[in-house]
Amino acid sequence: MWPLSPLQEGLLFHADFDDSGPDVYAVQFTLDVEGPLDAGRLRTSWQALLDRHAALRASFHRRKSGEAVQLITRNVTLPWREADLSAHPAADRPARVEKLAARERAERLDLSAPPLLRLLLIRLADHRHRLIVTSHHLLMDGWSMPVLLGELSQVYAAGGDASVLKPAASYGDYLVWLGRQDKEAARDAWRAELAGADEPTLVAPADAGGTPVLPDEHLVRLPEETTRALAETARAQGLTVNTVVQGAWALVLARLAGRTDVVFGATVAGRPAELPGVESMVGLLINTLPVRVPLEGAEPVSRMLARLQERQAALMAHQHFGLSEIQRLAGPGAVFDTLVVYENYPNPPADPA
């Protein structure tokens, strides 16, 4: 039995709050597999990863006191389904794949029944498959997925034998690390960071409370030369690209909200360098935190960005603290309705066999 991380507590609250309609924290991604595939070996390899990582075998429960805990079940069978679309006309297959994926996405995961993960392997042709992976965000973050895919490649190459991998770092070690942190120092740091911020930074229309819906996506791709110029500008100023993106959003947000002191959310990796094996850990280590940016009209943008980076660096030791606790400490000024996520994941294997 393990405790929950702060973000796990938040996600579980939302899941408990509304258990009808789509679960917006059910995550789905697809893997296209080109070339000969042994479906049995692939299934065995995924089962080996489930056996290897305790965090993937978690289920979530509440004690009579209301305290949430996660139970790690020792032996869990991987939910695995297969579908064969190879007999259908090639032009019809994409729509059929989308329909199957949507059906998987719509089927809610029971948070009390492990694992909160299921796989659907779709055969499109002799040497073309698509694997649909549906899991709950409570289990793992985006950083964990390239870790899993790297391990999957090695285990599949070894015939489904996970003993070829180095011993796995346990998410439980991260939860123990969380319990050792100085909570009073974190409270003081966040109280100081948000002092004087007395109004929420909100730009979306007030919602009277409707049924949850799955998010829409609007993709915008920056040209390579723009991306390169951003990176070069950041480097020349001694800044990270993440700081530049956050500063740009702060300027836009100030216009949208009509304010000169704005707060928005940011998602941090939450992987402390002092924790052995944290870079290869599978679990939910991310956290969402407020970012405050005071703006002064006479100040150069470069100085605003430098101040932003300094403030964020000073808070790094306290990035483990829960958002709900921060908002209780700081009041309305810590409330926001926009979120910037700068994703910087490890790459999956470049050339898996």
Side-chain angles (χ1 to χ4, degrees):
M1 184 169 63
W2 290 350
L4 272 62
S5 72
L7 188 58
Q8 281 182 317
E9 289 183 357
L11 297 186
L12 186 61
F13 168 80
H14 284 286
D16 287 347
F17 184 74
D18 193 331
D19 58 2
S20 61
D23 187 339
V24 296
Y25 290 110
V27 180
Q28 188 177 81
F29 76 97
T30 62
L31 285 174
D32 286 323
V33 185
E34 304 285 343
L37 178 68
D38 183 330
R41 190 202 292 192
L42 184 65
R43 180 178 184 174
T44 299
S45 300
W46 275 101
Q47 179 67 56
L49 296 181
L50 185 63
D51 296 340
R52 170 177 167 83
H53 294 288
L56 299 181
R57 304 193 305 276
S59 57
F60 295 81
H61 309 265
R62 290 197 182 275
R63 290 174 155 175
K64 291 181 180 178
S65 64
E67 177 195 10
V69 295
Q70 49 186 317
L71 300 182
I72 309 301
T73 304
R74 188 183 305 276
N75 298 310
V76 175
T77 301
L78 176 74
W80 176 275
R81 300 170 181 167
E82 295 186 24
D84 190 345
L85 300 181
S86 60
H88 294 276
D92 294 346
R93 291 173 202 161
R96 290 180 179 273
V97 168
E98 288 301 316
K99 187 174 181 180
L100 287 172
R103 188 183 302 165
E104 287 288 305
R105 184 75 172 72
E107 184 181 336
R108 290 181 71 98
L109 292 153
D110 181 352
L111 303 187
S112 65
L116 312 185
L117 167 77
R118 60 173 175 261
L119 286 82
L120 170 64
L121 181 65
I122 303 172
R123 183 173 181 264
L124 300 172
D126 285 347
H127 289 167
R128 287 188 60 231
H129 293 77
R130 182 164 295 176
L131 183 67
I132 310 291
V133 182
T134 306
S135 64
H136 203 281
H137 207 354
L138 278 163
L139 291 191
M140 56 182 164
D141 52 27
W143 183 297
S144 300
M145 194 51 67
V147 172
L148 275 181
L149 295 182
E151 293 184 351
L152 178 69
S153 180
Q154 296 179 64
V155 173
Y156 182 84
D161 182 4
S163 67
V164 298
L165 302 173
K166 294 186 295 185
S170 173
Y171 181 61
D173 294 340
Y174 167 72
L175 297 174
V176 170
W177 176 88
L178 269 181
R180 293 199 304 261
Q181 300 314 296
D182 188 337
K183 292 181 174 58
E184 204 51 52
R187 289 189 185 98
D188 291 343
W190 284 107
R191 200 180 281 117
E193 172 65 13
L194 293 161
D198 50 9
E199 292 183 45
T201 306
L202 305 174
V203 295
D207 188 344
T211 303
V213 294
L214 296 177
D216 288 331
E217 285 191 357
H218 182 69
L219 302 179
V220 178
R221 297 190 181 277
L222 293 182
E224 188 175 344
E225 57 270 22
T226 304
T227 307
R228 187 185 303 113
L230 274 172
E232 290 172 353
T233 300
R235 193 178 301 115
Q237 298 291 331
L239 303 168
T240 65
V241 178
N242 178 42
T243 296
V244 176
V245 171
Q246 288 190 346
W249 179 243
L251 292 171
V252 173
L253 188 56
R255 294 288 182 93
L256 293 175
R259 298 172 52 119
T260 56
D261 189 352
V262 296
V263 174
F264 57 89
T267 300
V268 296
R271 292 179 181 254
E274 67 267 25
L275 185 58
V278 73
E279 73 285 348
S280 60
M281 201 172 279
V282 171
L284 188 73
L285 288 84
I286 59 170
N287 198 14
T288 294
L289 298 165
V291 176
R292 183 185 186 185
V293 188
L295 298 163
E296 299 175 16
E299 183 178 53
V301 171
S302 59
R303 179 60 194 143
M304 179 271 286
L305 293 173
R307 276 196 307 117
L308 171 58
Q309 184 157 294
E310 289 163 7
R311 293 168 77 116
Q312 291 296 290
L315 287 167
M316 283 188 72
H318 310 295
Q319 288 182 342
H320 58 85
F321 211 54
L323 177 60
S324 60
E325 180 72 10
I326 293 171
Q327 291 177 334
R328 276 195 294 271
L329 286 171
V335 175
F336 52 85
D337 66 356
T338 65
L339 178 70
V340 174
V341 185
Y342 188 92
E343 295 180 342
N344 187 21
Y345 298 151
N347 290 322
D351 298 302

